[in-house]
Amino acid sequence: ARLRLAPQNSWEVNDPARLRAVLEKLEAIRAGFEASRSDGKRISLADLIVLAGGFAVEKAAAAAGLAVEVGFHPGRSDARDDQTDSASFNVLKPKADGFRNWAPAGLTERPEALLIDQAQQLGLSAPELTVLVGGLRVLGANSGGSPHGVFTERLGVLSPVFFTTLLDMDLQWAPIDASCGVYEARSRGDGQRRWTATRVDLIFGS
């Protein structure tokens, strides 16, 4: 739940305005839960963030016709401002975030290489990295609401469409601008533009 504290709540990759709105909603849910308890039971915002994320995955799976239960284990506590050293945390500020398809202008490193580095820091295997990116794209979890890599008209529905689109031989990918790392897919049949993607997305079809 340090996400609600400085400096992470102001990092561009975390969509500060959207983050603020989500945290306010979660705080209201927490307040309502605690007010309804006669036994004084409380819930940390950290636990609530994890619980809400699990519920979102269950809802997206249900929308695809799948019954999925995401396990939940409570017990997290919330950090406070006075326990958070902004200077130390700023060292952890990502140069790019391939999971949320975000890269700042002027990035000199290859974003797909930074994604692999980020996955290694999180201890993810190659299959875990792959399924996480594909799932985040169809959930529309890109930073700033970017459409790149979101190859679906059914946003919020878990499906393998991210991968089937990348491997669709009817699509021909070409850079929109070699300097920005964004590509477009056009149909080989009618030449119509279908989707856009970043280098991070296309590495999975490479």
Side-chain angles (χ1 to χ4, degrees):
R2 288 184 188 274
L3 192 64
R4 78 189 198 284
L5 306 175
Q8 293 183 59
N9 61 5
S10 63
W11 289 351
E12 183 184 352
V13 64
N14 290 334
D15 294 335
R18 185 179 182 188
L19 174 62
R20 214 165 24 247
V22 172
L23 290 175
E24 286 174 0
K25 174 62 75 173
L26 291 176
E27 288 283 14
I29 292 171
R30 177 167 72 164
F33 168 79
E34 293 179 352
S36 69
R37 302 291 303 197
S38 59
D39 56 6
K41 185 170 284 189
R42 302 172 62 81
I43 184 171
S44 68
L45 188 62
D47 268 349
L48 191 55
I49 288 171
V50 174
L51 186 60
F55 173 75
V57 172
E58 291 178 349
K59 183 179 179 184
L66 303 171
V68 173
E69 185 175 329
V70 178
F72 174 71
H73 301 282
R76 300 161 190 82
S77 59
D78 293 333
R80 303 188 308 267
D81 275 308
D82 62 326
Q83 296 172 319
T84 306
D85 180 64
S86 292
S88 296
F89 263 88
N90 264 326
V91 176
L92 302 175
K93 184 177 181 179
K95 294 180 179 178
D97 186 347
F99 291 104
R100 302 193 60 216
N101 227 350
W102 175 82
L107 182 69
T108 55
E109 293 93 336
R110 292 178 300 158
E112 66 274 23
L114 292 175
L115 171 68
I116 300 300
D117 182 59
Q118 191 177 13
Q120 188 275 330
Q121 292 177 43
L122 292 169
L124 298 177
S125 66
E128 289 168 339
L129 159 65
T130 302
V131 74
L132 183 56
V133 169
L136 288 170
R137 293 296 184 271
V138 295
L139 291 178
N142 282 351
S143 179
S146 166
H148 304 322
V150 183
F151 309 137
T152 180
E153 303 293 345
R154 302 174 66 208
L155 204 61
V157 178
L158 279 182
S159 75
V161 70
F162 174 77
F163 304 105
T164 56
T165 300
L166 284 176
L167 300 175
D168 185 351
M169 293 307 295
D170 178 56
L171 297 177
Q172 185 169 20
W173 292 93
I176 294 175
D177 179 348
S179 65
C180 71
V182 176
Y183 298 73
E184 65 178 5
R186 291 185 179 272
S187 170
R188 296 179 192 270
D190 58 19
Q192 291 296 309
R193 175 168 160 167
R194 296 286 189 260
W195 311 103
T196 60
T198 66
R199 291 174 60 99
V200 166
D201 298 315
L202 294 187
I203 199 68
F204 290 96
S206 174

